Amino acid sequence: MSTMLRFAYLVARVHDREIWEFSLLGGISFDKVSAQALIAVLLFFDSSRSALLDGNLMQTKIHNIGATVVGVDKFGNKYYEKLGETQYGRHRWVEYASKDRYNASQVPPEWHGWLHYITDHTGDELLLLKPKRYGVEHKQNFSGEGDEYIYHSKGHSLHPGQRDWTRYEPWQPKKS
Amino acid sequence: MGLGHLASRALLRSSRLGASKPSHHLLRRTVVSTPELHNSEAAAAEAQPEPDLPKRTPVAGARVHFPNPDDAIEVFVDGYPVKIPKGMTVLQACEVAGVDIPRFCYHDRLSIAGNCRMCLVEVEKSPKPVASCAMPALPGMKIKTDTPIAKKAREGVMEFLLMNHPLDCPICDQGGECDLQDQSMAFGSDRGRFTETKRSVVDKNLGPLVKTVMTRCIQCTRCVRFATEIAGVQDLGVLGRGSGEEIGTYVENLMTSELSGNVIDICPVGALTSKPFAFKARNWELKGTESIDVSDAVGSNIRIDSRGPEVMRILPRLNEDINEEWISDKTRFFYDGLKRQRLNDPMIRGADGRFKTVSWRDALAVVAEVIHQVKPEEIVGVAGKLSDAESMMALKDFLNKMGSNNIWCEGNGPNPNADLRSGYIMNTSISGLEKADAFLLVGTQPRVEAAMVNARIRKTVRATNAKVGYVGPSADFNYDHEHLGTGPEALTELAEGRHPFYSTLSNAKNPVIIIGAGIFGRDDKDAILAVTEKIAKNINAVRPDWNGLNVLLLNAAQAASLDLGLVPESEKSIESAKFVYLMGADDENVDKLPEDAFVVYQGHHGDKGVYRANVILPASAFSEKEGTYANTEGCAQTTVPAVPTVGDARDDWKIIRALSEVAGVNLPYDSLGAIRARIGTVAPNLLQVEEREPAVFSSVSLRPDVKGTIGKAPFGSVVENFYMTDAISRASKIMAQCSALLLKK
Amino acid sequence: MLGRLASQRLREIRQVFRQLPQVSRSFSTALNYHLDSPDNNPDLPWEFTDANKEKAKEIISHYPSNYKQSAVIPLLDLAQQQHGGWLPVSAMNHVAKVIEVAPIRVYEVATFYSMFNRTKVGKYHLLVCGTTPCMIRGSREIEDALLKHLGVKRNEVTKDGLFSVGEMECMGSCVNAPMITVADYSNGSEGYTYNYYEDLTPKKVVEIVEAFRRGEKPPHGTQSPGRINSGPEGGNTTLLGEPKAPPCRDLDAC
């Protein structure tokens, strides 16, 4: 038991910016939840390496203990809520479906409001209001994810149509 | 909830509790917190004029014109006394005093609507803020533009205007040059209180030039007034009422005016924007070059906005003497022709009839060789309608040195009269037309030939109820006119005083006769000019203080070419020509050319002229070179390069200068300054840039009597398609669209 | 079980919609642009009848000859009466021709005034007052009763083309609220009437409609048997005798 905990602590220390958060949260959870349960959760939910190596994910996992899943969007992101003992303003969060490459733009608009305390309606409810005719599918932001996602203006050497673009159309003698 | 919001709430509460404590008022931060209003005495005490005010200058350096010095009145703007002529509005008085009043519906050149309420100012002893644009200034009026009442009024009006205005700025083409944007930054509140849904309005289809996003409209009705008053097409109107009010045409109706593009400029918001320019560039990315338009003979002052090597759009520039602040649609939208059909390399037609790209050295060598092989009298040079004075001078000098004097500019007819300058320019001057009270249009349809001159005539007709008589084929006018006949016999009747319109002309104080340049192509041209001069003499149109005998030219190059004396020696020279130098001349009739003639085409567009050419020399267009153009009233103006030329093209005069060297007859100038000095010896008026030099002698007294009789043939219409008159506009896709959609079938 | 779940879901959905701000926004006026239809397009011929031509001439003669355009409202009204209560675009074009202005100037006027109908109305156009005093006195019930009885929506014409129901703002009969106006276009511009029916109940308004359907002309004005015009029920209660002189008529004395 204690070895497992120490291991988790060591892993977290690798990501040193997470250490204080981890220990703080850990401290709270030690009061309320038995350490055994913590390890069980750790092992049960995601014993993959990513959870142990990624402090953010680890913290989310710890946070998830005792929280209720409010909904899951179509990308598989899980939305948690924990009322009561949680600090106000930290009682809603998301666990991204992607465990290695996640960012806030993966949250679809219908869940955005709920997640940011703009509304109390969950994404499932707000999805009903999505316009059928012209509502577009949500796409995450790929900025900084490689050259193919970067916009290069016309004339830039990386612009794909750069070669067949001219600033004027020359007159072509008729092939007669 | 933000900390700031919380703080302001707390302050509000405390100020409400202790309303008697004045200190809280200063801290209060609400939308329209003007506690001074509640204490009128304090406000009045504050508004006392300080004794020494800094000297103020009128907005944009405007000059005040006093038609009658006795009618000057004095008003006080923010305590500063200004003298203004009687009849000026409060807003104009404020402008003279150097105070810029925010406004949306008010426009100098349109009638006053007074419906946006943005120009509210405080006037002493007036119970309410007054709309300064519609309020005449009265003697001794004390106008206050920076008092709390005025500020609150503006803030309130702005909040109402923004209520139904969409938050489109990031996707709006007007963004960055939007009056609403600027004025809401300057005079608006930092927050609004409107929480309901905004209204939306169906977009209208006004044709291929004007894009509408009617939801952005703030109902200033500038476009409606412009269409009704200046463009003269009563298509636009204000429909509906209240929050359902919108600008539209009610029935599906394209805006078929040659001035429709100007509504884009006068629209204070992004409701009317340029369709070809939509989403092409942001206005702060553009480099503005102040230049001259060459699409007609008016020489409208324009600003060419370019980004890098591309011309992105063309906007008008203020010139009260020529185009005021409008330009025609052709001027505004033919710029995309500058990017298409361009000649970018010298080419030589091979033995197989195909063009082959060659180097400048080879092309010039071939031309120089051929020109030496033909007899001097078989050499012909034709300048195109877009040629500048410098290149025409060079062409004339070069061909003269080769021994030929058969050089002319297209559109001037077989035997142009270049002896007397008053015989081919608009002697009244364009702005002088406003003083006229009767017009006689001879064989000219100014609406398609020179839209800006037409706008001037329409302005005069509207302002003074001037009568317009017209001789020519039935045409589209946007003002009341009397059709006197289709052929020259109507002129004979007028000259003999038999025609009923003659009394209108002879009773007029300042009659104006405008002869279209279309008659230059007629055989009986001199006789028609003579009979017109007789009319002018009879109705006393040419006096020392008034010259009402005008010629309205068609092309940008015409006036300068006649100034430079581009007159052919023999009328039929083209039929025996062996060497033809077409300098951008596309509309010259080359069918009569002998089969074995050698044709050099020097120009910027692969238009009609190239198909007969043996050698093509690529030249630069008006947006790419510095050149002098004289407009129809004889005012010389210069274009300024806005973008680099395409490919291997060179300036026209440089090509001819280089050719002269290859041909062994060096022209004695190799800089623009030198060639202008040469022009100065031929036509010094072309060096008086942007200053119109009137013709000294009037042709009426000096012209020798002409022989020849007036023909029976009726006048023809010169411009068949307003949107396609020269090489650039014929290459333009936008102009092609316009002529397909807007021309009345 | 499934049914209960479904109904609960439906309730939740309704809840979501109820709490969001109202998305739609209603306008008092109809469309501000013209849409071509077989019975309303600029190509249809339209002219005043001979009798109305005389009338139009008479109307124009009221105005100075250089201000003919001032006659636009009475002429549009005449055209509307002639055309069965509504103005097709060709009628507006004709009016523009008569008063010698551009058609758009007539469209501006016709779209501004809600009394000009630019879509088809019934022979009897019933206008329910919807302003506050009438609303307090039950104009919504009146309108509901009318719409239910006729089986149409607002601004819709019944299948037989007899009736249509519209809404109008205050017509000045607040003392006899609720009220409706019946614009009767059944007899062209000669027999055109525009009558108020006041002090209505949902039952009475249906009776009035039925009377019109039978071709009768029910008496207009107050429908309350105990009232005369706008007077109180059961006769006047004040101002019965000669009014007393004002206390301070002699201005010099005060």
Side-chain angles (χ1 to χ4, degrees):
Chain A
M1 180 188 93
S2 58
T3 47
M4 201 62 210
L5 259 179
R6 195 176 299 149
F7 176 65
Y9 180 72
L10 284 172
V11 168
R13 207 168 64 176
V14 176
H15 305 261
D16 54 352
R17 66 193 166 92
E18 305 292 347
I19 284 177
W20 68 273
E21 281 182 22
F22 179 68
S23 48
L24 187 76
L25 276 165
I28 294 165
S29 35
F30 288 155
D31 296 344
K32 303 296 172 194
V33 185
S34 77
Q36 215 159 10
L38 170 64
I39 289 149
V41 164
L42 280 174
L43 294 173
F44 175 72
F45 272 103
D46 200 323
S47 55
S48 69
R49 277 167 59 99
S50 63
L52 293 174
L53 291 174
D54 185 337
N56 277 326
L57 190 56
M58 174 71 95
Q59 191 194 333
T60 309
K61 290 283 184 199
I62 293 165
H63 218 75
N64 285 351
I65 301 162
T68 48
V69 181
V70 178
V72 182
D73 67 24
K74 61 175 178 289
F75 302 107
N77 302 322
K78 286 183 197 151
Y79 297 88
Y80 289 90
E81 184 172 47
K82 191 173 176 187
L83 298 168
E85 293 154 1
T86 329
Q87 185 191 342
Y88 183 81
R90 283 194 171 189
H91 61 286
R92 288 177 185 173
W93 66 93
V94 58
E95 188 191 336
Y96 294 104
S98 164
K99 295 289 180 274
D100 49 347
R101 211 204 64 78
Y102 50 84
N103 68 49
S105 74
Q106 287 166 349
V107 175
E110 63 266 17
W111 278 100
H112 178 91
W114 179 86
L115 191 60
H116 291 260
Y117 313 102
I118 294 167
T119 171
D120 284 338
H121 295 299
T122 62
D124 293 332
E125 288 165 356
L126 293 172
L127 200 57
L128 300 167
L129 295 181
K130 185 174 172 180
K132 295 280 174 294
R133 196 157 50 83
Y134 54 89
V136 289
E137 284 308 304
H138 174 68
K139 267 196 302 193
Q140 62 168 304
N141 183 358
F142 283 105
S143 293
E145 303 275 331
D147 279 347
E148 64 265 43
Y149 298 116
I150 299 174
Y151 173 73
H152 296 287
S153 58
K154 200 167 70 160
H156 193 277
S157 55
L158 290 175
H159 188 259
Q162 205 258 342
R163 273 183 194 80
D164 52 17
W165 170 76
T166 52
R167 71 181 172 89
Y168 65 93
E169 271 175 48
W171 174 74
Q172 299 292 343
K174 247 189 228 157
K175 304 274 182 285
S176 56
Chain B
M1 192 175 287
L3 208 63
H5 195 171
L6 275 175
S8 70
R9 267 200 164 189
L11 278 173
L12 256 179
R13 199 170 299 129
S14 62
S15 70
R16 219 173 281 140
L17 288 172
S20 55
K21 289 180 204 158
S23 62
H24 282 117
H25 284 301
L26 298 171
L27 290 166
R28 210 162 136 181
R29 222 172 136 247
T30 51
V31 176
V32 282
S33 72
T34 45
E36 300 93 321
L37 284 182
H38 307 302
N39 191 346
S40 54
E41 284 154 57
E46 269 171 46
Q48 283 299 315
E50 285 106 280
D52 37 39
L53 286 156
K55 190 84 180 155
R56 290 196 181 172
T57 47
V59 173
R63 281 165 296 175
V64 196
H65 171 66
F66 289 88
N68 183 2
D70 301 336
D71 278 348
I73 56 171
E74 194 177 47
V75 298
F76 299 90
V77 179
D78 297 337
Y80 176 73
V82 280
K83 278 220 157 49
I84 52 161
K86 214 172 171 180
M88 262 193 171
T89 62
V90 172
L91 188 143
Q92 284 167 320
C94 292
E95 278 193 342
V96 173
V99 180
D100 207 357
I101 305 289
R103 86 284 304 261
F104 292 112
C105 71
Y106 177 80
H107 194 278
D108 292 342
R109 284 166 221 285
L110 304 175
S111 64
I112 293 166
N115 53 8
C116 75
R117 315 310 288 180
M118 193 61 201
C119 60
L120 292 174
V121 294
E122 191 186 345
V123 171
E124 209 168 279
K125 296 202 186 94
S126 156
K128 296 187 286 182
V130 298
S132 61
C133 72
M135 182 75 156
L138 300 171
M141 215 177 212
K142 291 194 173 63
I143 303 155
K144 290 164 187 167
T145 62
D146 53 0
T147 55
I149 286 183
K151 279 181 183 161
K152 184 187 173 186
R154 285 171 193 164
E155 213 170 78
V157 168
M158 184 53 86
E159 199 180 339
F160 273 118
L161 286 175
L162 291 176
M163 234 168 64
N164 265 329
H165 193 78
L167 297 168
D168 270 358
C169 303
I171 55 150
C172 176
D173 266 318
Q174 194 87 349
E177 51 182 358
C178 175
D179 285 2
L180 191 64
Q181 218 176 21
D182 296 349
Q183 292 182 23
S184 69
M185 289 304 288
F187 305 102
S189 166
D190 61 346
R191 67 201 67 185
R193 291 169 287 186
F194 183 71
T195 52
E196 284 80 37
T197 48
K198 300 195 178 223
R199 70 171 198 154
S200 58
V201 182
V202 179
D203 291 346
K204 312 292 183 295
N205 181 10
L206 292 185
L209 300 175
V210 183
K211 182 187 162 195
T212 61
V213 186
M214 296 316 284
T215 307
R216 295 176 191 153
C217 178
I218 57 167
Q219 280 84 36
C220 70
T221 68
R222 271 187 192 182
C223 51
V224 176
R225 282 174 284 147
F226 177 85
T228 312
E229 291 162 19
I230 292 181
V233 285
Q234 300 215 6
D235 283 340
L236 284 177
V238 187
L239 303 168
R241 67 195 293 185
S243 68
E245 182 176 277
E246 52 187 272
I247 304 291
T249 50
Y250 194 65
V251 288
E252 181 87 24
N253 211 343
L254 303 183
M255 204 171 163
T256 52
S257 166
E258 71 286 354
L259 299 175
S260 66
N262 292 302
V263 298
I264 298 163
D265 289 339
I266 58 166
C267 184
V269 293
L272 304 176
T273 51
S274 165
K275 213 173 235 179
F277 181 66
F279 310 131
K280 288 283 189 302
R282 280 302 194 179
N283 69 309
W284 55 84
E285 306 168 326
L286 302 176
K287 181 190 75 172
T289 312
E290 308 210 323
S291 190
I292 298 301
D293 168 50
V294 297
S295 67
D296 53 30
V298 179
S300 302
N301 287 215
I302 54 169
R303 193 181 87 204
I304 301 175
D305 276 357
S306 57
R307 185 177 60 185
E310 263 182 292
V311 175
M312 299 308 290
R313 65 172 175 183
I314 290 177
L315 292 179
R317 197 148 59 85
L318 182 73
N319 188 331
E320 292 288 354
D321 292 332
I322 296 172
N323 59 324
E324 299 182 280
E325 60 184 270
W326 321 119
I327 49 173
S328 73
D329 282 355
K330 186 166 53 174
T331 309
R332 186 184 296 263
F333 292 111
F334 80 153
Y335 61 85
D336 77 323
L338 292 167
K339 282 177 253 180
R340 305 183 65 248
Q341 299 285 327
R342 288 303 296 266
L343 301 174
N344 56 347
D345 285 310
M347 290 186 214
I348 293 179
R349 196 190 287 271
D352 55 350
R354 288 194 182 178
F355 279 111
K356 206 172 72 197
T357 303
V358 294
S359 69
W360 271 107
R361 185 185 296 270
D362 296 346
L364 292 180
V366 166
V367 176
E369 201 187 321
V370 174
I371 201 168
H372 277 298
Q373 283 166 3
V374 296
K375 281 185 253 164
E377 61 270 20
E378 288 169 350
I379 299 175
V380 161
V382 186
K385 48 173 68 161
L386 305 178
S387 311
D388 51 315
E390 285 84 354
S391 52
M392 285 191 288
M393 188 77 254
L395 179 70
K396 183 171 160 64
D397 281 350
F398 170 59
L399 293 190
N400 284 358
K401 283 204 171 193
M402 295 307 300
S404 161
N405 200 15
N406 282 319
I407 308 128
W408 67 89
C409 177
E410 62 178 347
N412 280 350
N415 186 15
N417 164 32
D419 299 335
L420 286 166
R421 192 154 165 262
S422 63
Y424 55 84
I425 64 166
M426 183 164 263
N427 295 303
T428 316
S429 84
I430 295 173
S431 58
L433 291 178
E434 284 181 32
K435 297 197 199 88
D437 46 6
F439 291 90
L440 176 64
L441 308 177
V442 181
T444 178
Q445 298 106 38
R447 193 169 182 189
V448 287
E449 289 173 20
M452 296 324 305
V453 171
N454 190 57
R456 227 26 115 111
I457 300 176
R458 181 178 156 77
K459 190 180 174 189
T460 314
V461 170
R462 266 182 67 86
T464 64
N465 257 328
K467 296 277 173 294
V468 180
Y470 165 68
V471 183
S474 64
D476 206 12
F477 278 87
N478 51 9
Y479 40 83
D480 285 338
H481 70 288
E482 211 172 305
H483 196 175
L484 309 178
T486 54
E489 64 276 355
L491 292 177
T492 328
E493 284 175 28
L494 275 169
E496 291 161 9
R498 284 188 281 128
H499 203 281
F501 192 72
Y502 179 77
S503 60
T504 315
L505 282 175
S506 57
N507 291 336
K509 210 168 121 247
N510 292 329
V512 160
I513 300 174
I514 302 177
I515 307 164
I519 67 154
F520 286 172
R522 288 172 68 103
D523 297 332
D524 53 351
K525 175 194 82 166
D526 287 324
I528 290 175
L529 283 176
V531 77
T532 323
E533 274 161 19
K534 198 175 160 209
I535 299 173
K537 215 180 214 167
N538 290 350
I539 61 174
N540 200 16
V542 183
R543 310 187 296 262
D545 62 327
W546 177 258
N547 192 342
L549 185 59
N550 303 295
V551 175
L552 179 60
L553 296 176
L554 279 171
N555 308 328
Q558 256 176 317
S561 73
L562 292 169
D563 279 347
L564 294 170
L566 262 67
V567 180
E569 206 167 32
S570 93
E571 289 175 27
K572 309 241 164 169
S573 52
I574 202 146
E575 285 162 33
S576 58
K578 288 280 182 299
F579 178 92
V580 179
Y581 201 101
L582 298 175
M583 193 173 72
D586 292 307
D587 294 309
E588 194 62 36
N589 190 3
V590 288
D591 300 337
K592 282 188 198 154
L593 263 182
E595 279 295 303
D596 57 343
F598 187 84
V599 178
V600 178
Y601 182 83
Q602 171 187 327
H604 39 78
H605 275 80
D607 200 48
K608 293 178 195 166
V610 285
Y611 292 102
R612 181 64 183 81
N614 296 76
V615 174
I616 293 174
L617 305 175
S620 45
F622 79 103
S623 58
E624 298 149 6
K625 67 180 171 191
E626 200 177 344
T628 306
Y629 290 88
N631 73 357
T632 184
E633 53 168 2
C635 177
Q637 304 177 100
T638 51
T639 57
V640 177
V643 289
T645 62
V646 302
D648 244 357
R650 295 289 183 272
D651 287 1
D652 284 295
W653 74 269
K654 285 181 186 165
I655 297 169
I656 295 164
R657 167 70 183 73
L659 180 61
S660 73
E661 193 161 331
V662 176
V665 285
N666 253 0
L667 289 176
Y669 30 76
D670 35 53
S671 72
L672 213 56
I675 195 167
R676 283 190 181 152
R678 163 77 182 124
I679 288 174
T681 63
V682 182
N685 59 295
L686 287 177
L687 299 187
Q688 307 273 340
V689 171
E690 293 187 6
E691 215 169 290
R692 178 175 179 268
E693 191 173 294
V696 186
F697 298 110
S698 159
S699 59
V700 175
S701 51
L702 287 171
R703 188 188 289 259
D705 285 339
V706 280
K707 296 169 287 293
T709 49
I710 288 182
K712 282 267 182 297
F715 293 112
S717 53
V718 197
V719 177
E720 290 294 341
N721 182 347
F722 167 71
Y723 296 103
M724 287 189 168
T725 49
D726 50 40
I728 302 175
S729 51
R730 276 193 290 258
S732 160
K733 267 187 185 166
I734 306 168
M735 290 293 108
Q737 252 179 338
C738 286
S739 46
L741 286 172
L742 297 182
L743 286 183
K744 281 178 191 140
K745 298 282 146 35
Chain C
M1 177 67 193
L2 212 63
R4 214 175 70 216
L5 265 178
S7 70
Q8 192 188 341
R9 190 86 198 106
L10 210 66
R11 213 162 47 239
E12 280 170 20
I13 293 169
R14 277 207 200 114
Q15 196 73 18
V16 166
F17 278 100
R18 198 169 299 148
Q19 287 181 7
L20 283 159
Q22 200 182 345
V23 184
S24 69
R25 183 173 165 179
S26 63
F27 290 108
S28 54
T29 46
L31 280 185
N32 277 336
Y33 48 91
H34 166 79
L35 296 171
D36 274 350
S37 65
D39 60 348
N40 184 10
N41 64 64
D43 301 329
L44 289 179
W46 200 95
E47 271 207 354
F48 280 125
T49 57
D50 289 336
N52 282 349
K53 260 183 198 155
E54 288 304 309
K55 237 187 230 176
K57 215 174 268 172
E58 202 261 322
I59 290 169
I60 292 172
S61 72
H62 295 183
Y63 303 95
S65 57
N66 53 341
Y67 284 102
K68 265 188 179 176
Q69 64 262 42
S70 306
V72 60
I73 292 176
L75 285 187
L76 279 175
D77 192 33
L78 188 66
Q80 172 162 304
Q81 291 165 21
Q82 181 188 321
H83 200 77
W86 66 290
L87 284 168
V89 68
S90 43
M92 292 189 243
N93 289 343
H94 181 68
V95 170
K97 218 165 90 189
V98 169
I99 57 172
E100 293 162 14
V101 295
I104 184 73
R105 299 281 97 86
V106 177
Y107 304 150
E108 280 180 331
V109 173
T111 51
F112 186 88
Y113 292 102
S114 55
M115 294 83 162
F116 292 128
N117 306 310
R118 286 168 290 117
T119 47
K120 208 163 192 167
V121 295
K123 279 187 173 159
Y124 299 96
H125 191 42
L126 315 174
L127 293 157
V128 183
C129 174
T131 311
T132 319
C134 281
M135 198 188 77
I136 294 168
R137 297 279 292 145
S139 68
R140 291 204 177 146
E141 285 77 39
I142 303 280
E143 189 180 4
D144 287 346
L146 272 178
L147 296 179
K148 204 173 152 218
H149 179 70
L150 296 172
V152 290
K153 293 199 197 83
R154 195 191 274 183
N155 293 326
E156 220 177 54
V157 188
T158 51
K159 282 209 184 75
D160 52 7
L162 271 181
F163 295 100
S164 57
V165 183
E167 199 197 336
M168 190 72 112
E169 295 314 318
C170 186
M171 287 175 271
S173 297
C174 310
V175 73
N176 291 7
M179 58 87 69
I180 67 166
T181 302
V182 179
D184 176 2
Y185 300 106
S186 54
N187 300 317
S189 55
E190 291 78 25
Y192 169 68
T193 58
Y194 188 80
N195 287 330
Y196 288 8
Y197 293 85
E198 297 149 356
D199 283 325
L200 294 171
T201 58
K203 217 174 111 216
K204 269 193 189 127
V205 80
V206 171
E207 281 168 17
I208 289 170
V209 167
E210 282 309 311
F212 277 119
R213 201 192 287 282
R214 289 191 299 271
E216 296 163 20
K217 306 278 176 221
H220 54 85
T222 177
Q223 303 296 309
S224 166
R227 297 182 69 174
I228 302 165
N229 295 337
S230 304
E233 211 157 12
N236 290 356
T237 53
T238 54
L239 299 176
L240 294 170
E242 194 64 23
K244 255 199 293 183
C248 189
R249 178 56 85 196
D250 189 2
L251 291 171
D252 295 331
C254 359

